[in-house]
Amino acid sequence: MTRPLLFLGLESSCDDTAAAVVRVSDARAEILSSTVAGQVALHAAYGGVVPEIAARAHAERLDLCVETALAEAGIGLEALDGVAVTAGPGLIGGVMSGVMCAKGIAAGAGLPLIGVNHLAGHALTPRLTDGLDFPYLLLLVSGGHCQFLLVHGPEKFTRLGGTIDDAPGEAFDKTAKLLGLPQPGGPAVETEAASGDPKAFAFPRPLLDRPGCDMSFSGLKTALLRARDAEVTAHGGLRRQARRDLCAGFQAAVTDVLAEKSRRALRDYLALNPVKPAFAVAGGVAANKAIRARLETVAAEFGAEFTAPPLRLCTDNAAMIAFAGIERFRTGARDGMDLTARPRWPLDQTAPGMLGSGKKGAKA
Ligand code: KG4
Ligand code: ZN
C-alpha cells in the first residue's frame, strides 16, 4: 500500500483562477476542496478574453483562492505533500502568475513543486472521477482544443487527430456572438437548441469524406453567418424560432462530426486490445448534454465504457491540476525553482503540429 498523497493545485491559464486540494490513496481520489473564480464579467465588454486583464486578475485572486481552498479542505500548508501548478499551455501572463504563486508556496512551506500541462489535467480527469485504467481513449474538446488522444500514462499520450482550425467551444462561442446570445456561448446555444429544429437549416459536416480523425469547424461558423444573414434579409430580423433552429442545426452538425470521428478513433484504439476498453470525453464542450449522449451511444456500439466527468470538472478547475500533479509526482517527477511558464506545450511531442489552434490560441 502506498502512502496517501495530499496536493494543492493551482490553475490560471485562461480566464478561471482556481485552487483545489486533492487526496489520492490506493483506494480512491478525493477532492477535498475546489474553488474557481471566473472572470466572465471582467471580459464581457470586449467579446473575448483580454490577456492583460486576465493576468492581473489572476495575480490579485490567487492568494485568496488558495486560502479558500485550504480552509474548505480544513488543512494548513503543513499537511500538504506538494504543490502542483499549470505551467502551460495558456495565456502566458496568467500561467506566469500561477507558477510564481506556486513557487512562493513551495519555497515558503518547503514543499515539492510539480508543473502540470493543463491539457494533461483535462486528459487525466477520467482517472480522478472514474478510476479509468491506462490505456483509454480521450476526446478532449474545449474552447481552444479538440483532439483524440490515446492516454497510455500520466505523461504518455498519442494524438490520433484533431481540429485543423477552430475548436468546437470556440465555434459555439462565435455562434452565440453572431446570434446575440451571451458568452460563454456553449450553454446559451445548447439551451436555444433544445427547442429548435435541427433540420430547418442545412449545415455542412466538414471533413467527413476524408479518412482519419482530423476535424474542421470554421466552415460551420461561415455557414451559420450566411444562414443568419439570409434570415435577417428575408424577415427584417432574426425571429426567435429561427434563432433556436440555427442553434439546433449548428449543434447537430458539431455532434455528427464528433460522433463519426469518434468511431474512427475507437477503431484505432481497440486495435491496441485494451483489457477494459474505455472512451472518455473531457473539456468544456463535454458539458453539452446532446454531445455527451451521442458519444455515449457511439461508445456502446464499440462495447467501450463511456465516461464524462461531472460538469464542474469538465470546465477549467484546479482539482484536475492537483490530481495530474500527484500522478506525475508518483512517477518520480519533480520541478525546481527554474520551472517556466510555457505558452505552447503539446501533449504528444511527436505529433505533427496542428495547422490551426483556434483564435483563442493556447486556451484549452
Ligand atoms: O475547458 P473550458 O472550460 O475552457 C477552455 O477552453 O480551456 O471550455 C470552455 C468552452 C467554451 O468555449 C464554452 O462555450 C464551451 O466550453 N462550453 C460548451 C458548453 N459549456 C461550455 N459548449 C457546448 N455546450 C455546452 N453546454
Ligand atoms: Zn481547459
Side-chain angles (χ1 to χ4, degrees):
M1 196 173 122
T2 47
R3 190 171 65 86
L5 289 172
L6 192 63
F7 261 60
L8 171 70
L10 301 183
E11 158 61 34
S12 56
S13 64
C14 190
D15 55 353
D16 289 304
T17 316
V21 177
V22 170
R23 177 164 50 208
V24 175
S25 62
D26 277 340
R28 61 191 181 132
E30 259 176 295
I31 300 171
L32 301 191
S33 64
S34 179
T35 147
V36 181
Q39 303 181 356
V40 173
L42 290 181
H43 303 282
Y46 305 95
V49 178
V50 183
E52 289 74 16
I53 294 177
R56 183 172 294 268
H58 288 307
E60 283 169 5
R61 295 168 174 189
L62 271 160
D63 288 10
L64 190 61
C65 276
V66 169
E67 256 180 55
T68 309
L70 291 172
E72 284 179 6
I75 58 158
L77 288 174
E78 71 293 340
L80 293 170
D81 294 297
V83 183
V85 61
T86 298
L91 299 172
I92 191 69
V95 180
M96 281 170 68
S97 299
V99 167
M100 275 158 48
C101 177
K103 281 182 183 174
I105 294 171
L111 291 168
L113 174 70
I114 303 285
V116 167
N117 183 314
H118 176 88
L119 301 172
H122 282 301
L124 296 170
T125 298
R127 283 173 58 73
L128 164 65
T129 54
D130 296 79
L132 286 196
D133 290 330
F134 298 122
Y136 55 91
L137 173 67
L138 178 87
L139 168 59
L140 174 56
V141 61
S142 69
H145 280 263
C146 182
Q147 50 186 322
F148 288 102
L149 293 163
L150 294 176
V151 186
H152 306 281
E155 296 189 84
K156 196 159 180 290
F157 307 90
T158 309
R159 188 173 177 279
L160 296 177
T163 181
I164 60 166
D165 42 51
D166 292 355
E170 185 180 0
F172 268 98
D173 293 341
K174 282 182 185 158
T175 295
K177 208 167 166 181
L178 289 171
L179 299 179
L181 295 166
Q183 298 291 318
V189 171
E190 182 177 11
T191 305
E192 291 287 299
S195 42
D197 172 6
K199 296 209 166 70
F201 293 92
F203 281 96
R205 271 52 175 170
L207 296 196
L208 279 196
D209 51 337
R210 274 204 237 157
C213 301
D214 280 343
M215 291 164 277
S216 163
F217 296 99
S218 67
L220 279 179
K221 174 189 67 196
T222 315
L224 184 108
L225 177 65
R226 291 222 181 92
R228 181 205 66 176
D229 288 352
E231 264 295 303
V232 171
T233 309
H235 301 281
L238 192 59
R239 294 165 307 158
R240 186 172 284 184
Q241 190 56 39
R243 184 158 83 171
R244 293 181 184 138
D245 293 344
L246 284 168
C247 287
F250 164 82
Q251 183 173 282
V254 173
T255 308
D256 282 353
V257 170
L258 291 175
E260 181 48 31
K261 297 289 175 166
S262 296
R263 286 194 183 93
R264 297 180 194 180
L266 273 156
R267 275 181 211 118
D268 287 358
Y269 164 62
L270 291 176
L272 299 176
N273 290 320
V275 182
K276 278 196 277 174
F279 176 35
V281 57
V285 180
N288 185 291
K289 291 184 200 69
I291 292 175
R292 279 163 94 113
R294 178 73 81 77
L295 296 179
E296 186 162 11
T297 312
V298 171
E301 280 169 31
F302 287 81
E305 181 190 338
F306 179 75
T307 306
L311 304 193
R312 72 198 160 85
L313 295 175
C314 280
T315 48
D316 284 353
N317 66 88
M320 67 179 190
I321 303 304
F323 179 76
I326 293 176
E327 295 253 81
R328 274 202 77 209
F329 184 82
R330 282 198 157 154
T331 67
R334 304 288 184 274
D335 286 301
M337 288 297 138
D338 56 353
L339 175 68
T340 48
R342 299 170 66 173
R344 307 239 161 232
W345 186 1
L347 274 182
D348 181 352
Q349 312 274 350
T350 62
M354 278 190 289
L355 293 179
S357 58
K359 294 283 184 301
K360 285 180 184 163
K363 180 172 160 63

